[in-house]
Every structure is written in structure tokens, then in C-alpha cells.
Amino acid sequence: MSALTLAGLIFACMLVLMAARVPIAIAMFVAGVFGYLYQVGPAPFLNNLNGLAYARFASYDLSVIPLFILMGNFATQGGISKALFQFASVIMARFRGGLAMAAVMASAAFGAICGSSIATAATITSVALPEMKRHGYSGRLATGTLAAGGTLGILIPPSVPLVIYAILTEQNIAKLFAAATIPGLIAMCGYLIAIAVYVRLFPGHAPEHDDDRPRMTLAGVMAVAPIAIIFLIVFGGIYGGLFTPTEGAGVGAAATFVAALLRRELTLKKIAHCFYATAAASAMIFLIFIGADMMNAALALTQVPAQLASVIQGWKIAPVLVVSGILLFYVVLGAVMDELSMILLTIPIFFPVVMGLDFGLPKESVAIWFGIMVLMTVGFGLLAPPVGLNVYVVNGMAKDVPIGESYKGVMPFLVSDVLRTVLLLAFPPISLWLVKYVG
Amino acid sequence: MKTLSFLARLCAVLAGVILTAITLVTCASLIGRNTIGVTLVGDYELTAAAAGAAVALFLPWCQLRRENIIVDFFTARASVRTNALLDRFGALMLGAIMLLLAWRTAVGGISAFRSNSTTMMLGFPEWIVYSAMVPPMVLTAVIALVQTARGDFAEKGQ
């Protein structure tokens, strides 16, 4: 059997299992097992398994993932989102669609201490959706805004998908976080503009005049101060080289825990909920790591991924077109597959291809920029039909809004996503500018 | 099933406590390093070892709640019965793989014990981490196999 046929069979096996609702991690693992067994036989296969789980689970670099997830859950249960939304609504009250804009800003701020888009979407929705309804916002605009705002959870650092990209490609997490900062802020501004344009083009989705304006209070400012302080400590420390990303996540989780305790929001029951939510999210990610490891080991043995890089180099097409092609492929694949699995499965194959191209930039800059581009596509996949995970999460919390309305609601934000992605694709310096200041 | 659910909860809470403890050790280590210049020896290794145990302890709860991501795009129009049947098949595969991993991790742990493998700075024996990982893996497999035999847990939705 030729190498290409074998690689194709491994992929086909994985896709069939996935289509049959087998957990993605297990589908990748089983397909990998067949490919591996066929190529090297049982003894080396069993030996390879001995340390597989240990190597991934007991890894210092990877321990940053459960720590950031724990930090996000402490923030979620600690009532911090409510303070953020109230503060943002005071600032944005004067604008038409101000509450929707406030939801976007609160999502961005929450995203600065939470690395998960679903957690951000769910948390901000629980505080912002009732308020937006009370003020007469349409279900379409409210759910669309909250689903889009949720993606700021990963677009603004910390970001779990970006950490996974950094680990797979052996890049510096601090530099990738720095690179994501400006694109994340552009994303937030793009969403604010999308709202401003939408409420003018399609009147009736937001109140024309909203006289029920909250006022700035000292208590309101004090309530958001801890979040700003935690963010400054964690990222100041990581960017300044004072501590590693794992230490930053540890300090951030401890500080968020204390801040939530001081707000007197954290009961024993809520702490247990933090642990359950962290358990579900972390175990899911680590199991996908194990499955992708097996699958990628089997594929690497076929040599097909290595050959792919030289084949594509031989085509002599413009590098930026190759990257655009990969991103388009992600958009298509993202319609059926979740984004973390997609990154874990395809980055080991596509990354060598991209690194083999000549962009006229240093290799490290290309790696960082490509990571940001992948992150943008992940954000897009979380909103786009047919399966936008964020849209499902927010829509599930808004009982009376049909899912079709929510998908209509995310359209202006998808337009903003596409424009931003093209901008970042065309101008790598936007992403790379902050990186040089990382210590 | 109540017992399994209780054990899965216990594992998740234990792992949460371990992770929270790591955050406190990290703070102590950082404060020591940046103020009085005292470094906690082997804090990275301690973090890695504790995270290894914690992640394994997170597995049973994740499977109990069926939080492992599946693709439901292709079966969205299939009947509830078909999907329930497929989910049982998925649980069977996961249970089998988890048993395989538990077995090989146990073998890995035994060989780490025989060769006295330890971490570099602390000299912490690696087999301890291996042996902390095996029981939750077995528990995860048992939960998945019970889900195969009897469908979802009543305790799932909490």
C-alpha cells in the first residue's frame, strides 16, 4: 500500500468514526492505532503507549491550560461579570445600541482574565441578556451580540487555543499573547462599529431613546478595579519576563479566587462548581491531545505530512495565497468539527508547510503571525452556521429566541470578522508590533 | 450508578483542590524569588506532577457528563433512538481505549519504579504520578462501560 493511500485510509477511518458520534478524541486515537499498528506492529505500539498519558498530563508547559481554565471559572462564579457589565453600560449609555456595546466591552474585559469563548459567552449572557431584554433590544441583536462578544474570550489573551498552538509549534506563549492583543482590541472595536451600523440600518432592534441611564458610582468603579489589577499583574509579569505563563496563570487563578472570596460571592457549592466546570473543560482538551498525538504519530510514519511541505513549495504560488487557502480550509472544516480538535489535528501538518514558505519575515515572526491568523479563523468558526458553538450556547440561554434569529444576529459580526482577518492577513506588522516589547 | 457518580465528583473536587494548591505554591515561590531571592527548588516539577494527577482525576467527571466533544452535524436528523445507540457505541470505544491507556500507564509506572526514574531537581519518583493516574482512568472506563450497557446516568444533569 502506498503511503498516500495509507494516510488517506487513516483519515477516512477517523471521519467515519466522527460522523458516528464517537468522541473526536477517540476517533482520532482509534484511527491512529490502526495506522500505527499497520506500520510498526504491536510491540513498538504498546511501548509507545506506556508514557503517552504521562508525557501530556504531567507536563509543566501544558499545566497552564487547566490553570487558566480554573481562573476563568473563579471569575465566572465570583460575580465579576456583573460588575463589568454594569460599568460598561454606564460608559456606553449615551450611544444608540449602548447596552449591546456594553456587552461587547464586558466580554472583552472578561476575556482578559478568561481564556475560553464559551465560558465568556455564557457568563456575560447570564448578566446582560435580561437587561437587554428589559430595555427593548430584539432577540436577534441581543443573542448575536453576546455570541460574537464571547469570541473575544479567546481573541483577547489569555487564550486556550493560542496556548495549544504555542505548545504544538514550540513557540513562546508570552509573545503569542502579546501578538494577539492588538488584533483582539481591533476585534472589539470592529464589533462596536458593527452594532452602531446595524442599529442605524435596521431600526427596531434597539431602543431609539433610552432614558433609563445608570450613573457612574464609586462602588461601580471599585467593583471592576480588582479585574484590572489581576490583568496587570498576570500580563505585566508574563510580558515583563518576571514569570512563566504557567506561573502567571497560577498567580491569576489565586488572585481571582481571593477577589471572588472578598466579594462574598463564593460559597462552598460554587467552589465545587468551579472544580466541576474546570474538570469537564480540561479533561476534554487533554483527551483530544492524546488522540491527536496518536493520529499524528501514525501520519508522521507515513511521511505524507513531510512530503506535503515540499510538494506545496514546488507549486511556486504566492505564500499569502497558501495561507489564505489553509484558512479557507479551516472555515470549511470548522463547519463540522470543533476548533480545538481542528488545531490539534492539522497544525502538525500545516505548520511545516507554512514555515517552508518565504514571506520575507524572520521564521519566528511567521510562526507568530500564522498563529494569530489561525486564532481569527477559530473565532469565525465559533459564530458561523451551520455549527457555531457560541451561537448555540447563547441561544440555549435565551429560551424564546429561535436559532435562526440568532444566526441572523451574528451576520454583522461575521462581516466584521472577515474584514479584520483580511486586514491582519495583508498587514502582518499589526500582529507583530507588540511582540518586540516582550522581555 | 450513584457510587460511580459520587466517585467521579470526589475525583473532580480532589483535582480542583490540588490545582488550587498549585496556585498557592506558585505564589509563594514567586514572592520568594522576587523579594528575598529564595527560590523554591523544583517548583516546576511539583507543578507538573500535581497537574498530571489533577488532569487524570478530571477524566471521570468529564465522561460522566459526556463533555467529550462529538460531531453531531451528520446525525442531526437521525432519530433519538439511533443517536442514543450511537452514543452507547461511542462510550464503548472510549471505555476500551481508557482501559488500554490505564493498562499501559500501569506498565509505564512499573518500569519507572524498577528503573528508579525521578525528576531532575526534586528527585521526586515518577512512579507516584503514574500510579495516581491509573485509578481515575479505570474509573473513567467503568463509567463509560456502564453508559454503554445502560445509557446515560440519572445523575448526569447536575
Side-chain angles (χ1 to χ4, degrees):
Chain A
M1 191 177 343
S2 82
L4 200 60
T5 320
L6 183 60
L9 276 179
I10 295 173
F11 258 105
C13 170
M14 176 195 80
L15 289 175
V16 168
L17 288 173
M18 271 186 198
R21 293 172 73 95
V22 171
I24 292 181
I26 299 303
M28 292 198 276
F29 193 94
V30 171
V33 167
F34 284 128
Y36 207 94
L37 275 178
Y38 179 81
Q39 292 175 89
V40 298
F45 163 71
L46 289 176
N47 265 329
N48 176 37
L49 276 186
N50 290 357
L52 184 67
Y54 179 85
R56 282 305 190 192
F57 291 6
S59 145
Y60 181 74
D61 289 336
L62 283 181
S63 64
V64 68
I65 294 174
L67 288 173
F68 269 135
I69 293 175
L70 184 67
M71 178 176 167
N73 280 312
F74 282 146
T76 303
Q77 296 287 340
I80 285 168
S81 49
K82 197 170 183 179
L84 283 174
F85 180 65
Q86 280 168 351
F87 186 73
S89 5
V90 174
I91 298 176
M92 305 310 281
R94 72 194 74 187
F95 300 107
R96 205 150 128 199
L99 271 189
M101 293 175 178
V104 166
M105 287 181 75
S107 302
F110 195 77
I113 49 170
C114 176
S116 146
S117 69
I118 293 166
T120 305
T123 309
I124 301 296
T125 300
S126 68
V127 294
L129 188 64
E131 280 297 295
M132 290 168 85
K133 268 196 184 154
R134 198 167 65 79
H135 285 255
Y137 282 73
S138 72
R140 181 192 294 185
L141 179 62
T143 54
T145 303
L146 290 162
T151 64
L152 295 172
I154 56 164
L155 297 182
I156 290 178
S159 164
V160 169
L162 209 53
V163 168
I164 290 175
Y165 176 87
I167 287 162
L168 288 177
T169 59
E170 299 178 345
Q171 295 299 314
N172 184 321
I173 294 178
K175 289 184 178 175
L176 273 160
F177 279 178
T181 307
I182 291 179
L185 291 175
I186 294 177
M188 185 188 81
C189 295
Y191 287 170
L192 294 180
I193 295 169
I195 293 168
V197 171
Y198 189 80
V199 295
R200 282 173 177 79
L201 286 183
F202 303 94
H205 288 287
E208 299 272 325
H209 298 284
D210 201 342
D211 294 323
D212 182 9
R213 287 188 190 175
R215 283 172 194 285
M216 182 77 76
T217 59
L218 187 63
V221 178
M222 293 301 285
V224 294
I227 301 143
I229 295 170
I230 292 169
F231 178 77
L232 286 177
I233 294 176
V234 172
F235 288 95
I238 293 178
Y239 294 158
L242 278 181
F243 39 74
T244 66
T246 303
E247 287 171 331
V251 171
T256 313
F257 182 58
V258 172
L261 279 181
L262 290 179
R263 285 180 64 88
R264 298 175 188 278
E265 295 256 2
L266 223 46
T267 56
L268 269 182
K269 201 176 166 194
K270 281 190 175 177
I271 294 177
H273 269 283
C274 290
F275 293 162
Y276 296 148
T278 308
S282 311
M284 183 264 287
I285 292 172
F286 278 82
L287 207 58
I288 297 175
F289 254 107
I290 299 276
D293 277 348
M294 200 68 232
M295 176 91 183
N296 284 316
L299 286 176
L301 281 174
T302 68
Q303 308 270 338
V304 168
Q307 286 163 6
L308 187 70
S310 56
V311 167
I312 290 180
Q313 268 171 3
W315 288 349
K316 306 260 181 241
I317 39 179
V320 82
L321 281 182
V322 177
V323 172
S324 309
I326 292 174
L327 296 181
L328 279 179
F329 175 76
Y330 279 157
V331 171
V332 175
L333 195 62
V336 292
M337 216 172 152
D338 88 283
E339 282 66 26
L340 287 183
S341 314
M342 208 165 76
I343 291 182
L344 278 159
L345 181 65
T346 61
I347 288 298
I349 300 170
F350 287 147
F351 186 69
V353 172
V354 172
M355 295 311 282
L357 303 169
D358 181 18
F359 291 88
L361 288 168
K363 287 283 173 225
E364 194 196 23
S365 301
V366 174
I368 290 172
W369 168 70
F370 183 59
I372 301 303
M373 297 318 301
V374 170
L375 184 66
M376 293 298 139
T377 335
V378 169
F380 186 86
L382 288 167
L383 292 183
V387 193
L389 208 48
N390 270 15
V391 184
Y392 271 96
V393 169
V394 173
N395 186 266
M397 295 171 75
K399 294 277 179 290
D400 54 339
V401 182
I403 186 88
E405 278 293 298
S406 295
Y407 274 122
K408 280 181 192 156
V410 294
M411 285 308 157
F413 302 100
L414 283 176
V415 172
S416 166
D417 277 354
V418 171
L419 294 176
R420 183 181 69 246
T421 307
V422 171
L423 180 77
L424 296 171
L425 192 63
F427 301 102
I430 300 175
S431 311
L432 297 171
W433 182 66
L434 269 184
V435 175
K436 56 177 179 267
Y437 297 105
V438 172
Chain B
M1 283 167 112
K2 273 222 169 98
T3 320
L4 288 177
S5 172
F6 171 75
L7 286 175
R9 270 170 202 281
L10 194 69
C11 285
V13 169
L14 182 62
V17 171
I18 292 174
L19 265 191
T20 312
I22 295 181
T23 68
L24 298 178
V25 171
T26 306
C27 287
S29 160
L30 277 174
I31 291 170
R33 193 167 82 204
N34 291 311
T35 54
I36 48 175
V38 179
T39 311
L40 201 66
V41 177
D43 54 345
Y44 287 17
E45 290 171 359
L46 207 60
T47 303
V55 170
L57 286 165
F58 280 152
L59 291 170
W61 180 251
C62 182
Q63 179 55 27
L64 187 105
R65 291 290 308 265
R66 285 193 173 277
E67 295 272 356
N68 286 306
I69 291 200
I70 62 164
V71 175
D72 53 8
F73 179 74
F74 300 103
T75 45
R77 293 217 168 77
S79 68
V80 175
R81 251 188 80 203
T82 312
N83 281 343
L85 209 64
L86 286 173
D87 283 344
R88 286 186 175 199
F89 173 67
L92 177 66
M93 303 282 273
L94 190 138
I97 298 295
M98 208 42 86
L99 278 183
L100 176 70
L101 273 179
W103 169 42
R104 292 324 293 181
T105 304
V107 172
I110 290 168
S111 81
F113 179 73
R114 288 216 178 109
S115 63
N116 270 325
S117 322
T118 56
T119 60
M120 292 240 284
M121 306 282 293
L122 276 181
F124 189 77
E126 286 182 353
W127 67 267
I128 296 182
V129 182
Y130 275 96
S131 51
M133 283 164 53
V134 176
M137 284 177 169
V138 173
L139 177 61
T140 312
V142 172
I143 289 173
L145 294 177
V146 172
Q147 282 168 333
T148 311
R150 299 168 59 176
D152 275 337
F153 281 55
E155 292 87 355
K156 187 187 147 194
Q158 291 169 16

